[in-house]
């Protein structure tokens, strides 16, 4: 089956620093990737939709200048959390939509971000 | 907002069938019913999806009522590793739509 990877799987950073999270589709091409955030004991919430070669679309309440998304190729999207603060600590999950067919989506394993 | 309602939590004895219900009374004709699960600190895992016919794969069975307003996910022989949060999602199966996750059902498989 289609595989989506995320790197790193977990990261600890200091407040005020920036962190980059990568999402890769390993065996298929994805024109669209989605970024979700999940706080403890809560469900996944969509943050943004990223289309290859164009600007990401952010959900209401998500600061585009804080969460920078780049989708430069059909297999890679990156999420950069700029000037991270402790309230940004969360589980970040990406999914990639396969080109062709029914456009099924496959989820990555998630990245645990802890800001100290 | 999620278009489905699920019980908050359920328990199931190991080795028994786990039946997880989902109500989706406002489902549209072109929307599929998807089931995913999330084991603690992992990404969502696809289980099964269907439109109107019952579906079965190596993981589970999906039973959709004739009016499509509800469905049941069946894990035929639950194991401890099936303990997870199970999400029922309705979605058009084509380009464009993301998945909207509700709170899901926390299934605990007990020894």
């Amino acid at each position: 089956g289609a595989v989506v990877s995320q790197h790193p799987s977990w990261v600890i950073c200091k407040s005020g620093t920036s962190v980059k999270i990568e999402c890769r589709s390993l065996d298929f091409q994805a024109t669209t990737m989605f970024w979700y955030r999940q706080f403890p004991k809560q469900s996944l919430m969509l943050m943004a939709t990223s289309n290859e070669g164009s600007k990401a679309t952010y959900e209401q309440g998500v600061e585009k200048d804080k969460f920078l998304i780049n989708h430069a190729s059909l297999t890679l999207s990156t999420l950069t959390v700029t000037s991270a603060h402790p309230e940004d600590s969360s589980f970040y999950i990406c999914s990639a939509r396969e080109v062709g067919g029914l456009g099924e989506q496959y989820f990555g394993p998630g990245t645990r971000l802890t800001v100290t | 907002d999620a278009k489905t309602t699920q019980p908050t939590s359920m328990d199931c004895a190991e080795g028994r069938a786990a039946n997880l219900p989902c109500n989706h009374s406002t489902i549209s004709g072109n929307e599929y019913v998807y089931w995913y699960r999330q084991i603690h600190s992992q990404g969502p895992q696809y289980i099964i999806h269907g439109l109107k016919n019952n579906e079965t794969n190596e993981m589970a069975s999906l039973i959709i009522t004739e009016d499509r307003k509800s469905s049941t996910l069946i894990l035929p022989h639950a194991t401890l590793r099936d303990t997870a949060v199970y999400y029922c999602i309705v979605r058009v199966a084509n380009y464009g739509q993301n998945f909207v996750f509700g709170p899901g059902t926390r299934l605990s498989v007990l020894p």
Side-chain angles (χ1 to χ4, degrees):
Chain A
V3 178
V4 175
S5 70
Q6 285 185 236
H7 179 79
S9 55
W10 60 271
V11 57
I12 302 173
C13 71
K14 292 187 176 181
S15 188
T17 62
S18 295
V19 174
K20 179 184 287 188
I21 301 170
E22 293 184 349
C23 176
R24 292 182 186 273
S25 56
L26 297 186
D27 50 2
F28 66 98
Q29 293 185 324
T31 53
T32 303
M33 291 185 175
F34 301 92
W35 287 96
Y36 296 81
R37 179 168 55 181
Q38 185 176 32
F39 293 109
K41 298 190 183 301
Q42 294 186 22
S43 191
L44 286 76
M45 295 295 294
L46 181 68
M47 298 176 65
T49 302
S50 138
N51 290 297
E52 185 263 339
S54 63
K55 291 184 178 180
T57 303
Y58 292 81
E59 295 299 300
Q60 190 173 6
V62 177
E63 300 174 55
K64 61 180 182 180
D65 295 330
K66 181 170 183 61
F67 299 98
L68 301 180
I69 292 173
N70 182 278
H71 191 162
S73 78
L74 289 174
T75 59
L76 173 64
S77 175
T78 60
L79 168 68
T80 301
V81 184
T82 62
S83 187
H85 289 98
E87 57 266 29
D88 298 322
S89 297
S90 188
F91 194 50
Y92 292 87
I93 301 166
C94 72
S95 71
R97 186 171 66 204
E98 187 175 16
V99 174
L102 290 176
E104 291 301 338
Q105 289 184 39
Y106 304 95
F107 287 85
T111 296
R112 173 78 57 193
L113 170 64
T114 303
V115 184
T116 61
Chain B
D1 292 335
K3 300 180 181 179
T4 63
T5 55
Q6 301 176 250
T8 303
S9 63
M10 294 180 65
D11 291 339
C12 175
E14 187 179 17
R16 304 298 292 268
N19 297 291
L20 291 89
C22 179
N23 286 320
H24 31 79
S25 58
T26 61
I27 191 170
S28 300
N30 61 348
E31 288 182 316
Y32 286 68
V33 180
Y34 284 79
W35 283 84
Y36 279 78
R37 72 180 182 185
Q38 188 178 25
I39 296 170
H40 182 63
S41 294
Q42 296 184 24
Q45 178 189 19
Y46 168 81
I47 301 174
I48 199 167
H49 77 283
L51 183 62
K52 54 184 178 181
N53 296 324
N54 297 336
E55 301 287 344
T56 296
N57 62 21
E58 64 278 5
M59 289 184 68
S61 295
L62 173 60
I63 308 298
I64 302 174
T65 58
E66 193 169 341
D67 63 8
R68 303 212 317 127
K69 292 186 177 181
S70 66
S71 60
T72 301
L73 177 74
I74 301 172
L75 307 179
H77 305 287
T79 70
L80 299 179
R81 288 178 295 180
D82 292 321
T83 293
V85 178
Y86 286 77
Y87 298 100
C88 169
I89 303 167
V90 296
R91 173 182 172 267
V92 177
N94 61 16
Y95 296 99
Q97 241 188 25
N98 60 284
F99 284 92
V100 178
F101 287 83
T105 295
R106 183 171 297 278
L107 175 68
S108 298
V109 180
L110 308 175

